[in-house]
């Protein structure tokens, strides 16, 4: 395949996406003046803010100083978006066989995050921030079976105030420079908390792979780490007297960490990075985080792959039948711990449905994001289409200068693939130019 055919294909995809989003906006009647829906949204926002205020006022530090110290340490392991993108661009070095369309967050944690942070035996967030502690503005709820590329795309989409991440995922694969041009200095300094980066995996999972998970491309079992750091599970001493939970374990403090951050910052919010298969809603910890954030009155920002994803009838039927008792976790004991906190399971399931599908629920709010965001999305899609259009014109001009024989293109330019991340096609253009 020539670079011209690759670029023309991308250009057609971009134009199709641009046309679809404009039609969605026009046909949905979203470009409108204030309506009763706007009033309902405002009232829901006021109720949420009041819930947050009451939750923050009721917050109490833990009487166990060791536990509280561990909570606050965990809470200050945020990282900025620019550092995340720098890590993503280094993945071909850290994990040479990385494929954006195949590798999950679990794959990247096991084969890039853990090895890269092993020298300091610290969280990847702390290493990315050069040892600086950061209180995050947002916490990202995600499932480790999601594509890592899509997780990053969700975070970037949030920084761009986008409700969908499909376009950003395409740019991560094919044109990182264009994506970075969309991000201003303020967006790049937005800070996030993501368990894969913010939890110190060397005190959690690095030395063990009990499920014997394997890389999906090499079929080689994920490696374990030999750093020798002490691992703390929920029953590892010392234990808190009130409930016999490990003081130094990090995985048992997510609720407390969320409470601490929400009480400290009324604007602290949650990004919900929904995978393409909606598998996030089958994970017990993810659903527990959704419910906890709602109870605290935190703002919640849902990220879906596209507007069309909401029309997946099979996914919708599955979501409407969710039952917390049937959800999964990496460890069965985690499910039991979550269920033990729920005093009325039928009521929790009903609340979950209201949280997802009720008036002003997550999906309702997602479908009614405001006109300014929609106009901004059209603008960014237009920029994407313009970027690819200019690239298509470049490829065409090179082709005409070389004549109909395009063999020199294929001889001098490696076929661009999604694995060439962080470079997009800019490197290919340079090779083509040098060949002329």
């Amino acid at each position: 395949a020539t670079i011209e055919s690759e670029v023309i294909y991308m250009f057609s995809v971009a134009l199709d996406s641009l046309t679809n989003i404009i039609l969605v906006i026009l046909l949905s009647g979203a470009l409108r003046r204030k309506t009763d829906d706007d009033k309902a949204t405002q009232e829901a926002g006021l109720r949420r803010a009041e819930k947050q205020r009451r939750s923050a006022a009721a917050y109490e530090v833990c009487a166990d100083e060791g536990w509280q110290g561990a909570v606050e340490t965990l809470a200050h392991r945020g990282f900025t978006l620019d550092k995340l993108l720098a890590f993503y661009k280094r993945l071909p070095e850290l994990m040479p066989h990385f494929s954006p369309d195949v590798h999950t967050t679990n794959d990247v944690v096991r084969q890039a995050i853990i090895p890269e942070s092993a020298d300091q035996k610290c969280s990847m967030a702390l290493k990315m921030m050069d040892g600086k502690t950061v209180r995050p503005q947002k916490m990202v709820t995600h499932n480790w079976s999601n594509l890592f590329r899509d997780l990053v795309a969700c975070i970037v989409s949030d920084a761009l105030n986008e409700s969908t991440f499909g376009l950003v995922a395409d740019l991560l694969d094919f044109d990182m420079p264009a994506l970075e041009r969309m991000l201003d200095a303020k967006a790049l300094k937005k800070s996030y908390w993501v368990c894969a980066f913010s939890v110190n995996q060397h005190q959690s999972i690095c030395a063990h792979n009990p499920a014997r998970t394997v890389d999906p491309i090499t079929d080689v079992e994920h490696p374990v780490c030999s750093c020798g750091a002490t691992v703390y599970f929920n029953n590892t001493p010392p234990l808190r007297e009130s409930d016999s939970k490990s003081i130094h374990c990090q995985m048992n403090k997510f609720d407390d960490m969320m409470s601490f951050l929400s009480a400290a910052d009324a604007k602290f919010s949650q990004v919900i990075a929904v995978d393409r298969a909606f598998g996030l809603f089958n994970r017990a910890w993810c659903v527990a985080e959704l419910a906890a954030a709602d109870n605290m009155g935190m703002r919640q920002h849902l990220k879906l792959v596209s507007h069309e994803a909401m029309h997946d009838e099979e996914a919708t039927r599955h979501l409407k039948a969710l039952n917390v008792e049937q959800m999964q976790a990496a460890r069965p004991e985690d499910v039991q711990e979550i269920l033990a906190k729920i005093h009325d399971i039928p009521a929790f399931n009903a609340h979950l449905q209201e949280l997802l599908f009720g008036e002003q629920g997550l999906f309702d709010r997602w479908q009614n994001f405001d006109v300014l965001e929609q106009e901004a999305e059209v603008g960014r899609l237009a920029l994407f289409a313009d970027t690819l259009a200019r690239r298509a014109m470049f490829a065409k001009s090179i082709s005409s200068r070389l004549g109909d024989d395009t063999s020199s293109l294929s001889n001098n330019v490696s076929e661009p693939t999604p694995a060439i991340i962080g470079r997009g096609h800019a490197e290919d253009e340079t090779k083509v130019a040098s060949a002329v």
Side-chain angles (χ1 to χ4, degrees):
T2 67
I3 195 169
E4 179 181 5
S5 62
E6 178 78 12
V7 170
I8 289 174
Y9 166 74
M10 292 174 63
F11 180 45
S12 66
V13 171
L15 286 179
D16 182 62
S17 297
L18 179 61
T19 301
N20 286 340
I21 189 63
I22 291 174
L23 286 173
V24 166
I25 291 173
L26 292 176
L27 294 176
S28 68
L31 300 179
R32 68 202 189 288
R33 294 185 179 276
K34 295 294 183 182
T35 65
D36 290 340
D37 287 342
D38 299 307
K39 183 178 180 181
T41 299
Q42 293 172 4
E43 291 175 348
L46 291 174
R47 290 194 298 271
R48 181 208 57 75
E50 176 59 21
K51 186 189 295 185
Q52 190 282 330
R53 188 194 65 77
R54 290 197 305 268
S55 175
Y59 176 76
E60 295 181 356
V61 300
C62 180
D64 188 309
E65 293 183 0
W67 183 279
Q68 184 65 26
V71 168
E72 296 187 19
T73 296
L74 188 62
H76 284 82
R77 290 209 192 123
F79 57 84
T80 52
L81 179 60
D82 59 340
K83 297 296 186 179
L84 175 63
L85 291 177
F87 173 85
Y88 191 78
K89 288 189 284 188
R90 286 190 60 212
L91 266 181
E93 169 195 342
L94 301 175
M95 189 176 165
H97 63 296
F98 174 71
S99 177
D101 288 322
V102 177
H103 284 113
T104 67
T105 297
N106 185 54
D107 296 319
V108 172
V109 168
R110 290 289 187 177
Q111 298 177 88
I113 289 177
I114 288 177
E116 179 62 9
S117 56
D119 59 337
Q120 298 182 26
K121 302 179 185 179
C122 67
S123 69
M124 192 66 219
L126 198 62
K127 184 164 184 176
M128 290 195 303
M129 299 306 297
D130 300 317
K132 178 183 177 182
T133 58
V134 176
R135 192 179 75 189
Q137 296 166 306
K138 298 184 179 184
M139 172 185 180
V140 181
T141 290
H142 68 107
N143 53 315
W144 282 34
S145 58
N146 190 12
L147 292 174
F148 181 73
R149 186 268 321 278
D150 286 355
L151 169 62
V152 175
C154 285
I155 297 171
V156 176
S157 297
D158 179 77
L160 289 169
N161 296 318
E162 287 283 335
S163 60
T164 60
F165 67 84
L167 167 61
V168 172
D170 289 338
L171 288 174
L172 283 171
D173 282 352
F174 296 109
D175 202 337
M176 178 72 84
L179 179 60
E180 291 178 320
R181 287 195 295 273
M182 295 180 184
L183 294 160
D184 59 23
K186 183 178 179 180
L188 288 170
K189 292 304 177 183
K190 288 186 177 180
S191 56
Y192 295 87
W193 193 99
V194 180
C195 62
F197 290 91
S198 303
V199 167
N200 184 350
Q201 304 301 339
H202 300 283
Q203 294 182 350
S204 307
I205 66 167
C206 83
H208 307 279
N209 180 11
R212 305 192 68 178
T213 55
V214 300
D215 181 274
I217 289 181
T218 66
D219 203 34
V220 175
E221 191 169 309
H222 286 145
V224 295
C225 180
S226 58
C227 70
T230 302
V231 174
Y232 295 96
F233 295 116
N234 199 30
N235 59 353
T236 304
L239 307 179
R240 185 167 63 170
E241 289 187 10
S242 61
D243 55 11
S244 298
K245 291 183 178 180
S246 175
I247 290 175
H248 297 309
C249 177
Q250 296 170 52
M251 286 88 76
N252 61 8
K253 294 178 175 62
F254 286 11
D255 284 3
D256 287 359
M257 182 200 71
M258 292 169 68
S259 296
F260 170 79
L261 289 170
S262 181
D265 179 9
K267 294 183 179 180
F268 179 69
S269 58
Q270 179 184 48
V271 175
I272 306 166
V274 182
D275 58 293
R276 297 170 189 250
F278 290 85
L280 174 143
F281 298 101
N282 291 322
R283 307 304 296 178
W285 277 117
C286 295
V287 170
E289 288 174 13
L290 296 185
D294 177 64
N295 289 337
M296 295 173 199
M298 288 170 53
R299 291 182 176 88
Q300 296 175 292
H301 308 284
L302 197 67
K303 306 298 173 185
L304 303 181
V305 63
S306 68
H307 297 275
E308 290 73 22
M310 276 302 299
H311 302 298
D312 186 330
E313 294 182 0
E314 181 178 351
T316 300
R317 283 196 299 271
H318 174 71
L319 291 174
K320 289 186 175 180
L322 287 177
N323 183 339
V324 68
E325 291 181 294
Q326 298 174 357
M327 293 177 188
Q328 303 169 342
R331 302 184 306 163
E333 55 265 37
D334 290 342
V335 177
Q336 296 307 314
E337 180 178 347
I338 292 169
L339 291 177
K341 297 179 182 179
I342 302 174
H343 303 296
D344 187 334
I345 288 178
F348 180 90
N349 288 333
H351 175 69
L352 178 60
Q353 290 299 312
E354 183 66 20
L355 173 61
L356 295 179
F357 294 105
E359 184 178 353
Q360 297 301 318
L362 289 174
F363 289 116
D364 184 64
R365 294 200 304 270
W366 181 86
Q367 292 185 86
N368 290 290
F369 64 104
D370 64 43
V371 62
L372 292 178
E373 182 178 341
Q374 293 175 356
E375 288 176 340
E377 183 168 3
V378 172
R380 284 185 282 272
L381 280 164
L383 175 59
F384 180 46
D386 177 68
T387 298
L388 295 183
R390 285 185 284 105
R391 184 159 291 121
M393 292 174 65
F394 172 86
K396 185 176 181 180
S397 68
I398 293 297
S399 178
S400 64
R401 290 172 67 183
L402 293 176
D404 293 332
D405 180 10
T406 59
S407 61
S408 58
L409 282 173
S410 58
N411 289 335
N412 289 282
V413 182
S414 301
E415 181 179 357
T417 67
I420 306 178
I421 59 173
R423 292 173 287 172
H425 296 310
E427 180 176 322
D428 297 319
E429 290 177 2
T430 301
K431 291 180 181 178
V432 172
S434 64
V436 176

